[in-house]
Amino acid sequence: MNQVTKSLAEITTGYSIFEKDQVLSHEQLNSISNYFDDQTRLTRIKLLGVGIVCGLRIVLRSGNISLTKGAGVTTDGDLLYAADSVFDKFKLYDESNPVYGPFYVDNKIIKLFELVRQDTTDPQATALRSFDATTGSSLNDMVAVLFVEGYVKDEDLCSGTDCDNLGKDFVNTMKILLVGKSSVDLLRTSITTPNQAAGALDEIVADRPLFASGIASPEQLTTVYRTVCNIIHGKLVAELSKLYAKCSAFLGDVFASDPTPGWVAKLNSYKTFFDVHGSGIQYYYDFLKDLVETYNHFRELLFGDTTWCWPETEAFPKHLLLGDVVPGTDLDANRIGFYPSPLTSQTAGRLNHAQFLAGKLNTLIQTFQVPSSSSPIRVTPSRFEDDSLEERAIPYYYQVNTTDPVQKNWNYHLSKRGMDAFNYSYSASAYGAQGGAANPFGAQIGRFSFFRIEGHIGKSVAESIKIIEGEIASKNLPFKVHSVLLGTDKTQIVKQPGTRYSDLHRFHYLLRQDAFHQLDSVVKFSGTFKGKVDDAVTAGVVTNSPADNDGAPVKDIAAEKHATVTTKAKEAGTKLNRPYSQFKGDSSWKTDLNDAMKASGEFKYNLGKVVKTEFTTPFDSLISNTQILWLDWLDDIIEAKDEKEDDKLLFSEFLSQHPGIEHFAGVARGGTFVLAYDAGKNVVADFMLPYYYCEAAEQEPEEPPLPKPGLKPDWIIDNGININPSREKFVNGKLDALMKNTIDPKIDVQKDNFEFFKQSMKTVADVFGGASSGGTRTNGTRLTDDFLDASVVGAKTEQRKLQLLRQRAADRNLPEETRKNLETQARESEAALARSVLDTAKYISDGGISVAKGSEGFKAITEVSSSIGTLTDAKVKTSLKEGLSDLIRTTQNEELRKMLESMSNF
């Protein structure tokens, strides 16, 4: 029985060299043929590839089986090809055919059927439509096989004495066979390719730490990270343990032996350490993420890579599996693919990259360590996680050493070009960085979307912020730094800034400046006031007697109160003029201000008998000022606002308001780098917000004194008050002058009469002035407006004086000359009364004083107008009417106009 010949079962390694006139043997001639045939076959399988190159698809249509044109290469180097063909018949393929080892089990051939072409006549063939009925099998369970039946055919017609044909024929016949799916494994061999290895490895998903708003301590944060790290550790150990076993076919160039036991031992040692220690656990998490990403990238590069570096010649030496006759959802089931050699593979570069990443896994595992807190803080341009790990800067938790240099095993493309020193890194100077990596911020950083920030763990948060903000300022970096306390004790908060300056503080500053300038005016006015008192005493306008103020001498009161006002007002003003932070720390200004107010009020009150207020004075403004109370209210509002802002500086509260916070060992361009620190004010963790987080307010600026607006002339401040004689002195003086000018000392009767008149006037003064130090009374009530009060008293005094003069002039017992003098004085008093009425009305009009019912203006105008009825002189009355008419035309006080119109009807 013929055997199917496998050409590469024995490879010819040499051939004969002929010499001139040499007699050639068949061995010599065949050596040439065999050598070049083997080389051609080896070229195909070793340098080009094996399997189905294209086409050769099986299609069952209308009961016939079609084969599309295509080509393929067996592992014996046979180039199989076919044109479009249709098969409508089949026949049994049995032991009568040449023996092909894969078709036999225990020296018995498996059930095979040969397809016969549509245009071929074969008496042994049966219609394909009857396949199921004839064979007891189903086409649904059949797999098509393209088989090259190659064997040596010897057709020698030799006898004992003669041989006409001394040669043999090598016959190659391509056939399409059908084999049951249950036997197809005999024709299929396991091929180790990167794609198959990828299918045997599972993707690792790096779990993400999720933070509950209740996290309020470093220990709780560590627990979250430790839990996640242990999960990732378990996944890594499971997958890395089988990596070499599944990929050894193409990792033999990278590792001399299986590295995974050493990897697992290292990973277990890291886990053991961080099961106890919490410092730097975020970097342990980052390290595990790096391993996961590198592993997944390695696995991803294997997919689709069917490169077969050294095809086994016994894999499918004379056949190609074409796939199921009736395909299911997987069109390539039971079909040989094409396995290119590395020379022709388009994925060879990916395999090289994958091999590089396998070496990188080893480097990362061997060089990981968390540096000490003595490492300097540095900012390094990098890429965000949407770029591959290779494109990012090398983290500072990988040692730089000569045994396993991380920079040489970090970036495949740079390593391939011999540009390892161009990797950006925290430790770039340790390996002599070149290019932009040598001076990261001296070069353009536009292509960098992320900035690694490292070296701050374990350091003082204040120091860390200062250094990072210094880097931001000096290198013009596009991110911000913020800090939060991992705790609940708000007294441990490191405030940045110390004072959150806002518009409330600006308003507070305006109020303080207003009070400061007001106190300055009070000091100036107090000096003017004291000076007027001293001048009035010197000029004899008032007496330096307790009688003028019902207390101490006038000058003593003025000196004492002025000293107190000046001292306390200046002290309060100085404290109000400080920056807010200093002002807030010293509340003694309230006592100083209270003392200044009290002294101002006493200054004016104790000299009430000799003081006439023309308009509101700085003393009055200070005493009546309620805006100064706003400072305490504003402080309460600011403090409440600060309390809420302080809450935001606690990690738990900050997390509830910014749930997108996450650790990335740095910050994205335009984001916020968040330092988390413990009760000892040392940084224990860091996070990132992908956006710019602004503080509630700016830092406290300088608060230079605001110049006092020059809207109020100094004259208003200096002349708001006048010093006049007390009413007792005024009345006594007037009466003394009256007696001196009108009474003939020779007439004793007249002297007696005027003595009586003097006593009557004193009685009037007592009635209208009151006996107490409270001042003049009008209908039993003293008017607070001193001028109005004096006007009413003056009018009533003139009215009473007029009545007394008329009464005495009517006495027939007096000499005629005396009576005429009294009548003349009565007319003068009548004119004075009219002037008093008109002056009072003008004062009310000019001052815009209300004359609404019950007001002081109403009381005053009513009191003085009641005396008009005592006027009898025609000229006086006419003059008064004219004055009232002019005032009616010019006044802006509508209510007063109505009252004057009523008054003028006399």
Side-chain angles (χ1 to χ4, degrees):
M1 182 182 294
N2 291 325
Q3 293 279 341
V4 173
T5 301
K6 299 176 185 176
S7 299
L8 295 179
E10 184 178 340
I11 299 175
T12 302
T13 60
Y15 57 89
S16 298
I17 302 297
F18 306 143
E19 294 184 4
K20 185 177 180 179
D21 299 327
Q22 177 181 347
V23 177
L24 301 177
S25 67
H26 71 280
E27 289 90 353
Q28 291 171 322
L29 292 173
N30 287 336
S31 71
I32 297 173
S33 173
N34 291 338
Y35 178 80
F36 285 105
D37 180 59
D38 288 350
Q39 290 299 310
T40 299
R41 290 174 181 273
L42 288 173
T43 298
R44 288 187 190 129
I45 66 173
K46 302 300 184 183
L47 297 183
L48 298 179
V50 297
I52 297 175
V53 177
C54 63
L56 301 180
R57 287 283 180 181
I58 290 292
V59 180
L60 179 63
R61 185 184 299 118
S62 301
N64 298 332
I65 293 177
S66 297
L67 175 66
T68 65
K69 61 185 176 183
V73 179
T74 69
T75 56
D76 197 40
D78 294 298
L79 176 59
L80 306 185
Y81 60 92
D84 290 332
S85 307
V86 177
F87 302 86
D88 62 350
K89 298 178 285 295
F90 76 96
K91 63 181 180 180
L92 185 67
Y93 189 86
D94 55 19
E95 288 91 341
S96 63
N97 293 284
V99 176
Y100 180 51
F103 291 166
Y104 282 78
V105 177
D106 296 332
N107 296 320
K108 292 185 64 176
I109 193 170
I110 61 177
K111 186 181 288 188
L112 294 165
F113 303 94
E114 180 183 345
L115 295 180
V116 180
R117 282 185 173 83
Q118 189 178 42
D119 55 355
T120 302
T121 301
D122 189 336
Q124 298 179 359
T126 305
L128 192 60
R129 295 177 185 274
S130 62
F131 181 86
D132 291 3
T134 302
T135 64
S137 300
S138 172
L139 287 175
N140 289 330
D141 295 326
M142 293 292 116
V143 177
V145 181
L146 179 60
F147 172 57
V148 56
E149 192 178 65
Y151 60 94
V152 177
K153 182 178 180 181
D154 186 358
E155 295 184 352
D156 286 349
L157 300 175
C158 295
S159 64
T161 60
D162 182 39
C163 190
D164 295 330
N165 183 4
L166 298 178
K168 297 180 181 180
D169 294 327
F170 194 98
V171 180
N172 278 323
T173 305
M174 281 187 291
K175 297 183 177 181
I176 303 297
L177 305 180
L178 299 181
V179 63
K181 291 180 180 179
S182 60
S183 300
V184 76
D185 285 346
L186 296 173
L187 307 179
R188 180 169 52 201
T189 191
S190 176
I191 302 174
T192 303
T193 66
N195 183 65
Q196 288 174 323
L201 299 174
D202 294 323
E203 179 189 11
I204 301 177
V205 176
D207 293 65
R208 179 178 172 221
L210 298 177
F211 311 112
S213 58
I215 291 182
S217 70
E219 293 73 23
Q220 290 175 324
L221 185 68
T222 298
T223 299
V224 172
Y225 272 100
R226 183 175 290 134
T227 301
V228 172
C229 288
N230 287 342
I231 295 173
I232 299 175
H233 168 85
K235 294 178 181 179
L236 276 168
V237 168
E239 290 305 311
L240 293 180
S241 295
K242 61 184 182 182
L243 184 144
Y244 187 78
K246 300 298 182 183
C247 304
S248 59
F250 51 86
L251 290 183
D253 296 342
V254 181
F255 303 108
S257 60
D258 186 357
T260 54
W263 292 356
V264 172
K266 271 282 188 181
L267 291 175
N268 287 336
S269 68
Y270 297 146
K271 178 182 180 299
T272 300
F273 178 84
F274 285 103
D275 280 344
V276 178
H277 300 87
S279 178
I281 196 169
Q282 283 187 320
Y283 294 123
Y284 175 51
Y285 170 73
D286 291 339
F287 161 66
L288 295 178
K289 275 175 55 183
D290 292 348
L291 294 183
V292 168
E293 186 168 343
T294 303
Y295 166 85
N296 285 337
H297 192 187
F298 164 82
R299 175 175 175 268
E300 183 181 345
L301 288 171
L302 302 182
F303 279 109
D305 186 354
T306 57
T307 303
W308 196 358
C309 179
W310 187 263
E312 298 293 335
T313 58
E314 293 298 321
F316 42 93
K318 295 296 180 178
H319 72 272
L320 296 173
L321 290 176
L322 302 183
D324 296 343
V325 172
V326 181
T329 55
D330 184 3
L331 297 178
D332 291 328
N334 295 318
R335 178 178 171 86
I336 292 291
F338 182 70
Y339 304 100
S341 77
L343 178 65
T344 61
S345 174
Q346 295 181 353
T347 58
R350 293 172 56 185
L351 180 59
N352 291 336
H353 194 170
Q355 292 172 328
F356 175 85
L357 292 180
K360 180 176 180 177
L361 277 172
N362 181 72
T363 299
L364 299 185
I365 292 172
Q366 301 302 331
T367 61
F368 169 73
Q369 72 170 16
V370 176
S372 67
S373 59
S374 61
S375 303
I377 297 175
R378 290 178 188 162
V379 181
T380 308
S382 184
R383 304 284 186 88
F384 197 55
E385 292 195 0
D386 48 356
D387 283 303
S388 70
L389 181 63
E390 294 176 271
E391 298 300 320
R392 302 175 220 160
I394 303 173
Y396 89 136
Y397 44 79
Y398 292 117
Q399 306 172 56
V400 175
N401 56 44
T402 55
T403 306
D404 200 357
V406 66
Q407 77 277 8
K408 290 185 177 295
N409 296 292
W410 184 259
N411 185 295
Y412 170 69
H413 298 291
L414 290 179
S415 178
K416 194 174 181 181
R417 300 169 194 160
M419 298 174 63
D420 310 305
F422 286 76
N423 280 296
Y424 280 69
S425 172
Y426 174 93
S427 305
S429 60
Y431 53 78
Q434 299 179 33
N439 183 17
F441 293 110
Q444 281 294 325
I445 61 171
R447 65 190 177 97
F448 297 107
S449 59
F450 187 82
F451 299 89
R452 290 194 66 86
I453 305 173
E454 299 159 316
H456 50 276
I457 298 298
K459 286 187 174 63
S460 160
V461 65
E463 176 191 357
S464 299
I465 290 175
K466 180 180 179 182
I467 294 174
I468 296 172
E469 286 184 339
E471 289 288 283
I472 292 172
S474 64
K475 295 180 173 62
N476 309 130
L477 302 182
F479 62 86
K480 186 180 184 300
V481 64
H482 183 66
S483 63
V484 291
L485 171 66
L486 253 175
T488 57
D489 185 1
K490 289 192 285 187
T491 62
Q492 302 295 331
I493 290 176
V494 177
K495 293 187 180 180
Q496 291 289 331
T499 297
R500 301 184 185 93
Y501 205 78
S502 66
D503 287 342
L504 289 175
H505 293 82
R506 291 185 179 88
F507 185 49
H508 194 284
Y509 175 52
L510 287 177
L511 290 177
R512 285 185 282 121
Q513 285 292 293
D514 177 61
F516 168 74
H517 288 301
Q518 191 174 43
L519 289 169
D520 183 60
S521 296
V522 165
V523 171
K524 293 178 180 178
F525 176 75
S526 181
T528 301
F529 190 1
K530 177 182 179 298
K532 287 187 175 184
V533 171
D534 292 343
D535 291 345
V537 172
T538 301
V541 176
V542 297
T543 61
N544 192 33
S545 168
D548 278 336
N549 53 68
D550 296 329
V554 173
K555 292 182 68 174
D556 293 351
I557 291 177
E560 176 191 350
K561 299 306 176 186
H562 170 65
T564 303
V565 168
T566 300
T567 300
K568 295 301 180 180
K570 285 183 177 180
E571 290 177 357
T574 299
K575 295 170 183 176
L576 289 168
N577 199 35
R578 295 172 178 171
Y580 181 80
S581 56
Q582 298 179 24
F583 161 82
K584 193 70 175 68
D586 182 5
S587 61
S588 61
W589 64 271
K590 298 178 184 179
T591 302
D592 296 333
L593 183 64
N594 183 68
D595 292 344
M597 285 184 177
K598 180 180 179 183
S600 298
E602 290 175 344
F603 197 163
K604 185 176 176 183
Y605 180 82
N606 291 342
L607 297 180
K609 287 190 175 184
V610 298
V611 170
K612 177 184 179 185
T613 302
E614 301 296 343
F615 40 77
T616 302
T617 69
F619 281 4
D620 301 315
S621 298
L622 179 65
I623 294 169
S624 62
N625 185 5
T626 60
Q627 292 180 355
I628 201 72
L629 302 176
W630 296 6
L631 291 177
D632 279 346
W633 295 339
L634 276 175
D635 283 337
D636 292 341
I637 294 173
I638 291 172
E639 186 173 349
K641 189 171 181 292
D642 273 348
E643 282 289 322
K644 290 185 177 180
E645 293 302 323
D646 284 349
D647 289 341
K648 296 178 184 178
L649 295 179
L650 299 177
F651 179 80
S652 57
E653 180 65 23
F654 190 82
L655 177 63
S656 67
Q657 296 191 12
H658 303 279
I661 190 174
E662 195 161 357
H663 166 76
F664 290 104
V667 60
R669 180 184 292 270
T672 303
F673 188 61
V674 181
L675 298 175
Y677 57 95
D678 58 14
K681 296 183 175 58
N682 293 320
V683 179
V684 295
D686 62 67
F687 300 89
M688 184 199 85
L689 286 177
Y691 47 84
Y692 198 86
Y693 172 72
C694 293
E695 294 280 2
E698 64 193 63
Q699 296 188 23
E700 182 180 19
E702 292 185 7
E703 292 181 333
L706 297 177
K708 182 179 180 180
L711 299 178
K712 184 181 288 187
D714 291 340
W715 186 90
I716 297 296
I717 297 175
D718 295 338
N719 294 282
I721 201 165
N722 284 320
I723 308 300
N724 297 318
S726 64
R727 290 183 175 84
E728 290 85 348
K729 181 178 180 182
F730 174 79
V731 172
N732 288 333
K734 287 291 184 181
L735 293 178
D736 288 340
L738 178 64
M739 291 178 62
K740 182 177 180 181
N741 296 329
T742 60
I743 300 176
D744 186 348
K746 297 179 180 179
I747 306 174
D748 291 337
V749 175
Q750 290 180 340
K751 182 177 180 180
D752 293 339
N753 288 339
F754 277 96
E755 190 65 34
F756 166 76
F757 178 67
K758 178 179 178 180
Q759 293 300 322
S760 298
M761 294 304 291
K762 287 183 179 181
T763 301
V764 172
D766 290 339
V767 170
F768 289 97
S772 71
S773 62
T776 308
R777 298 282 179 175
T778 303
N779 290 336
T781 303
R782 184 184 185 279
L783 299 180
T784 58
D785 189 311
D786 293 337
F787 185 85
L788 282 181
D789 195 63
S791 296
V792 172
V793 171
K796 290 300 183 182
T797 301
E798 290 293 343
Q799 183 181 4
R800 180 58 177 163
K801 176 181 174 183
L802 176 59
Q803 291 173 345
L804 290 173
L805 288 170
R806 286 177 176 171
Q807 181 180 353
R808 295 298 294 166
D811 187 355
R812 298 295 180 180
N813 295 322
L814 293 176
E816 186 65 23
E817 183 179 356
T818 300
R819 289 175 59 207
K820 288 181 180 181
N821 287 336
L822 290 173
E823 288 173 356
T824 300
Q825 292 179 35
R827 286 193 296 274
E828 292 174 355
S829 181
E830 193 171 340
L833 178 58
R835 284 195 301 274
S836 180
V837 172
L838 190 58
D839 288 345
T840 303
K842 284 182 177 179
Y843 177 77
I844 293 173
S845 175
D846 293 344
I849 299 172
S850 173
V851 292
K853 189 172 182 180
S855 66
E856 288 197 342
F858 176 82
K859 293 177 182 178
I861 200 68
T862 302
E863 289 286 347
V864 298
S865 64
S866 64
S867 61
I868 295 177
T870 61
L871 301 178
T872 57
D873 188 273
K875 290 183 179 181
V876 173
K877 294 171 70 175
T878 299
S879 177
L880 179 58
K881 281 189 175 184
E882 290 175 352
L884 292 174
S885 297
D886 290 341
L887 190 55
I888 290 170
R889 286 194 304 272
T890 59
T891 186
Q892 300 298 316
N893 192 329
E894 293 298 327
E895 293 179 340
L896 177 63
R897 179 182 288 110
K898 294 177 182 179
M899 295 187 71
L900 294 178
E901 289 174 348
S902 176
M903 287 170 54
S904 62
N905 295 325
F906 57 86

